Amino acid sequence: MVTFSKGGGQFIAGKSVNNDADQASIAGAIAGAKHVHEVAALYNVPVVLHTDHCQKAWLPWIDGLLAASEEHFEKTGEPLFSSHMLDLSEEPLEENISICKEYLEKFAKVNILLEFELGVTGGEEDGVDNTDVDSSRLYTQPEEVWYSYQQLNEVPNGMFTCAASFGNVHGVYAPGNVDLQPVILHNSQKYIAEKLDDGNDKPMRFVFHGGSGSSVKDIRYAIEAGVVKMNIDTDTQWAFWDGIRAYEAEHHDYLQGQIGNPDSPDKPNKKYYDPRMSLRAGEEAMAARLIQAAEDLNCVNVLN
Ligand SMILES: [Zn+2]
């Protein structure tokens, strides 16, 4: 699963490019997606291409990506992106879901899944700061999940997942600052299952935002409550940096000038400061963290 954020798309296009109308965020995310489509075959694994939080003011970004998916679908029968998240949790529930439904109708025509948000994920990520939000909004109500399920389920071929807040936050904080209540997801499933009464005890597919820093116990409990995807950003960011940090520490004396190191004052250091060396160390450290996440999520060797 590869996720592009609006800020990530802009970064890929280049931070100096004008982004007044989200053109850099659109072009960068499309370029990244095309890169993934091109190289994914070499890894011999299926890849899900997703985009992260899109609030109301950012919808033109998704409009640009959807247009690219529609074009790609016409040529290949597949969308460019597998799924998009719309985060309209700042808006009143009815407005949130009616906009989501409008988009799901378009997504469904090209096999794109919708991830929507209920309640507010706390913390701060990608320039959106929810650190001061009223704590009652961090916990979704079962009635809200049921309302959304009913509305979105009316869309033919509509596929959707729900990022319901249960005290989860973006970022990693000192212990005691996050009060995770995955029982909220359990209660919501039970509520919907009773309403539907069709034998399915987990009708809603949930997404766990803010997985960084979570205990394996909370992760496993969330999976039991019907979580099918966990977002992990802050921990992977740290792992990437930690790999670069360790590389610099190991080769410090070879990284202080272009020429001259402990072996000889005349020796060039190019092979140490080539950016690919430190960036590769970051990738390796991040890959190790992702393997740990896959283990935490019971997601090892499940594709065979
Ligand atoms: Zn999130």
Side-chain angles (χ1 to χ4, degrees):
M1 243 179 238
V2 179
T3 300
F4 294 96
S5 64
K6 183 165 168 292
Q10 186 188 6
F11 185 85
I12 290 170
K15 289 282 278 186
S16 63
V17 173
N18 182 9
N19 200 30
D20 281 357
D22 294 334
Q23 60 269 54
S25 292
I26 292 168
I30 291 172
K34 286 184 172 171
H35 172 81
V36 174
H37 275 266
E38 195 63 35
V39 299
L42 305 176
Y43 290 82
N44 205 26
V45 288
V47 178
V48 173
L49 269 177
H50 180 65
T51 57
D52 208 7
H53 294 263
C54 177
Q55 58 199 51
K56 194 175 172 186
W58 295 357
L59 285 170
W61 174 53
I62 294 298
D63 293 337
L65 303 186
L66 178 59
S69 268
E70 287 166 345
E71 198 183 306
H72 197 260
F73 189 88
E74 231 163 68
K75 286 186 209 142
T76 67
E78 275 187 2
L80 192 58
F81 289 90
S82 326
S83 55
H84 296 297
M85 182 197 192
L86 299 187
D87 177 358
L88 302 160
S89 57
E90 292 274 299
E91 317 307 324
L93 179 67
E94 285 74 21
E95 190 184 355
N96 175 351
I97 299 308
S98 94
I99 295 174
C100 282
K101 196 171 177 181
E102 226 173 89
Y103 273 86
L104 183 57
E105 275 159 5
K106 297 180 209 165
F107 289 179
K109 294 195 175 99
V110 290
N111 292 336
I112 294 174
L113 176 143
L114 164 76
E115 179 182 316
F116 67 102
E117 174 142 336
L118 294 176
V120 173
T121 305
E124 198 263 332
E125 184 177 66
D126 210 37
V128 178
D129 189 351
N130 289 331
T131 43
D132 289 331
V133 87
D134 178 5
S135 65
S136 69
R137 296 195 61 208
L138 303 177
Y139 300 97
T140 306
Q141 302 303 313
E143 296 81 6
E144 297 172 332
V145 183
W146 170 233
Y147 172 78
S148 314
Y149 181 91
Q150 283 175 294
Q151 290 295 313
L152 298 177
N153 210 34
E154 285 174 6
V155 177
N157 192 41
M159 300 177 287
F160 53 89
T161 54
C162 174
S165 55
F166 54 101
N168 43 328
V169 297
H170 292 131
V172 170
Y173 302 89
N177 286 314
V178 177
D179 182 19
L180 222 48
Q181 298 286 341
V183 71
I184 285 172
L185 305 180
H186 263 294
N187 293 344
S188 296
Q189 293 286 23
K190 201 163 158 257
Y191 188 90
I192 302 178
E194 277 166 15
K195 294 274 185 197
L196 290 172
D197 195 24
D198 62 358
N200 183 359
D201 63 348
K202 283 175 201 161
M204 184 60 99
R205 296 186 180 94
F206 284 118
V207 175
F208 183 167
H209 277 246
S212 294
S214 300
S215 70
V216 176
K217 187 168 157 260
D218 280 337
I219 291 171
R220 294 281 164 84
Y221 187 86
I223 292 169
E224 276 171 39
V227 163
V228 297
K229 166 173 170 270
M230 184 179 87
N231 291 13
I232 178 165
D233 180 40
T234 311
D235 279 358
T236 44
Q237 285 185 335
W238 169 256
F240 194 94
W241 162 249
D242 198 38
I244 294 174
R245 188 198 56 72
Y247 176 85
E248 196 281 333
E250 187 183 347
H251 303 289
H252 177 271
D253 295 346
Y254 296 78
L255 293 164
Q256 302 311 309
Q258 284 188 280
I259 295 163
N261 60 43
D263 303 333
S264 152
D266 302 329
K267 278 247 166 111
N269 293 319
K270 182 173 163 56
K271 68 175 177 177
Y272 294 99
Y273 63 77
D274 179 336
R276 286 170 295 190
M277 298 301 289
S278 54
L279 290 176
R280 180 58 190 157
E283 285 181 350
E284 285 172 347
M286 190 178 83
R289 180 64 186 85
L290 288 174
I291 287 170
Q292 186 202 321
E295 286 165 352
D296 294 348
L297 290 160
N298 296 327
C299 199
V300 175
N301 291 331
V302 291
L303 294 173
N304 302 318

